[in-house]
Amino acid sequence: MAGQGQSERIDEYRVRPYERGDRDGVLSLLETEWGHRPGRDWFEWKYVDDPYLSHVPITLAERDGEIVAVQGYVPCRLRRGERTVPALKPVDAVVHPDHRRNGLYSRITERGIRRYRQRESALFFNFPNAASLGAQQQLGWSEVAVVPTYYRVHRPGELLPDGPAAGSVGRAADAVTRTGLRLCDRFSPADGTYDVERYASPPADLLESIYETRVPRAFHALREAKYYRWLFDAPTLAHTAYVATRDDRPVAALVTRSGGEDGVLVFDSVPLASRHDAFADLLAAVVADNADADVLSVTGGTLPPSLLARFGFVSYELPLVSRFCHPTYMAVRPLANGDDGGRFSRRALADPENWCVSFLEVKD
């Protein structure tokens, strides 16, 4: 077995952890796959400045000095009740088109498993697509569930495929949707019980204090101020916090994320897994502020489905919606040998009833 900081060479490929000087090679590979080159500020934020690790969490493969496969990891503290463990979320897995079908994805992933089994992390959890999920299951991942996602679609015409009738059909669909949402908002107004304060720069310490008022027993990423601050510092993305107060006391909050390819996300809620009645006023404020967005999205673990239905959100399982939205799978892999998974068992981790995830967990 290769050592912690060593590389391994089976054939012409060298599989190893990230080393100083690899950044531009990683960015070039991502550009090849994504069609645009991520900025250095993005790389520094995501892989250098995170609040938990002292190294760049990437495993990669190179041939003749060229980086041809990468697998990145995003750290968090996974909490259930009063217990927390360090965890990593595999992200940004890319193999150069000219080097596929050589087992490189499996090899850089296995390298990561060996590396972090000896280090600070207890498990991997992530949200692969259907193709990646199959590959990960062969490497020891367990599928948890499909993450229930809800959408408030303002302009369904934007989701229709191009075609001769797309314009007229899209306009008709948009008109029908506007009418339906207008009625929904008219007959399900905000309760008006709470004052809602908006923060263009989300107050991390305040969000942590609200989170700590009611911590769920389900698995979730620990909402602590330093983690929030790092997430909200993501380049090119904007976050807005909506905080509900009563008698000048903050009691609940929603955070939105915008600026990415996913439209506007209801990114997080605190208290987690709560049916706090302040969420009605908060969601009303979010909907009003984002009337120009094509789509608002939220996970079922963020807000109660009954409240989402009241504000015109529909499930990903609705046949019309499912035609345009791919399911979001969740999978886990304990890094400890055997089935005990360290401090949390594989059986517990693979049970969807034991999880509460918002887009804070799902996105990176």
Side-chain angles (χ1 to χ4, degrees):
M1 179 182 295
Q4 172 66 34
Q6 298 175 343
S7 65
E8 58 185 29
R9 186 187 296 271
I10 300 174
D11 44 28
E12 70 268 30
Y13 295 102
R14 181 185 174 210
V15 178
R16 60 175 175 80
Y18 179 95
E19 296 173 357
R20 186 176 181 179
D22 286 335
R23 181 185 60 194
D24 287 346
V26 171
L27 293 179
S28 294
L29 178 59
L30 296 179
E31 181 181 14
T32 298
E33 177 70 13
W34 296 349
H36 69 275
R37 187 180 182 88
R40 292 186 177 187
D41 58 343
W42 171 87
F43 185 90
E44 294 295 311
W45 164 74
K46 191 168 189 177
Y47 290 117
V48 178
D49 296 334
D50 74 78
Y52 299 118
L53 300 179
S54 60
H55 66 280
V56 175
I58 292 174
T59 53
L60 58 86
E62 65 176 355
R63 191 179 76 170
D64 299 329
E66 177 188 6
I67 295 174
V68 297
V70 298
Q71 170 71 82
Y73 304 89
V74 172
C76 74
R77 298 284 300 175
L78 191 71
R79 181 173 184 177
R80 188 184 190 194
E82 296 304 316
R83 301 174 66 192
T84 62
V85 298
L88 287 169
K89 182 167 62 174
V91 297
D92 300 336
V94 170
V95 177
H96 192 285
D98 294 340
H99 298 271
R100 290 173 185 166
R101 301 187 182 276
N102 291 314
L104 291 181
Y105 172 74
S106 294
R107 287 164 62 178
I108 60 175
T109 301
E110 289 167 346
R111 187 68 179 85
I113 291 170
R114 294 198 302 272
R115 181 185 196 193
Y116 289 108
R117 179 177 286 158
Q118 302 168 21
R119 294 184 65 137
E120 54 277 298
S121 296
L123 63 107
F124 292 157
F125 75 97
N126 62 327
F127 302 88
N129 58 31
S132 297
L133 176 62
Q136 289 183 342
Q137 287 176 316
Q138 295 180 23
L139 294 167
W141 266 257
S142 296
E143 180 181 354
V144 179
V146 173
V147 178
T149 309
Y150 294 80
Y151 302 92
R152 178 178 161 115
V153 183
H154 293 157
R155 278 180 284 277
E158 296 295 323
L159 303 178
L160 295 174
D162 293 333
S168 58
V169 173
R171 286 190 293 273
D174 290 351
V176 171
T177 298
R178 281 196 301 271
T179 300
L181 291 177
R182 196 176 297 121
L183 290 172
C184 183
D185 293 341
R186 178 179 177 183
F187 292 106
S188 296
D191 293 339
T193 306
Y194 296 87
D195 295 321
V196 176
E197 299 180 12
R198 293 164 173 82
Y199 297 83
S201 297
D205 292 293
L206 176 58
L207 294 173
E208 178 187 348
S209 68
I210 298 173
Y211 157 74
E212 289 290 352
T213 63
R214 193 180 304 176
V215 177
R217 296 293 304 172
F219 293 114
H220 62 278
L222 174 66
R223 269 70 168 168
E224 57 181 337
K226 66 179 181 180
Y227 188 56
Y228 271 134
R229 278 192 286 270
W230 174 62
L231 288 172
F232 298 153
D233 200 34
T236 75
L237 299 175
H239 298 85
T240 302
Y242 297 76
V243 179
T245 63
R246 198 173 199 177
D247 299 327
D248 296 323
R249 183 173 65 90
V251 295
L254 292 178
V255 177
T256 62
R257 169 181 279 190
S258 59
E261 298 178 352
D262 302 306
V264 177
L265 307 178
V266 183
F267 187 66
D268 198 29
S269 65
V270 285
L272 283 175
S274 166
R275 292 183 174 270
H276 200 294
D277 55 6
F279 284 135
D281 288 337
L282 290 166
L283 188 56
V286 169
V287 166
D289 287 359
N290 293 281
D292 292 335
D294 290 340
V295 181
L296 286 172
S297 306
V298 62
T299 71
T302 307
L303 292 169
S306 58
L307 178 64
L308 295 173
R310 173 179 162 184
F311 281 89
F313 287 80
V314 294
S315 170
Y316 75 103
E317 295 177 308
L318 190 71
L320 181 61
V321 175
S322 65
R323 290 178 58 189
F324 308 106
C325 301
H326 299 292
T328 299
Y329 296 93
M330 182 178 183
V332 297
R333 192 198 193 285
L335 294 178
N337 290 318
D339 190 56
D340 63 354
R343 280 165 277 183
F344 295 133
S345 71
R346 180 183 289 269
R347 178 176 297 179
L349 288 165
D351 185 344
E353 297 298 320
N354 289 337
W355 285 88
C356 173
V357 297
S358 72
F359 280 125
L360 180 146
E361 281 86 9
V362 174
K363 301 297 180 179
D364 51 270

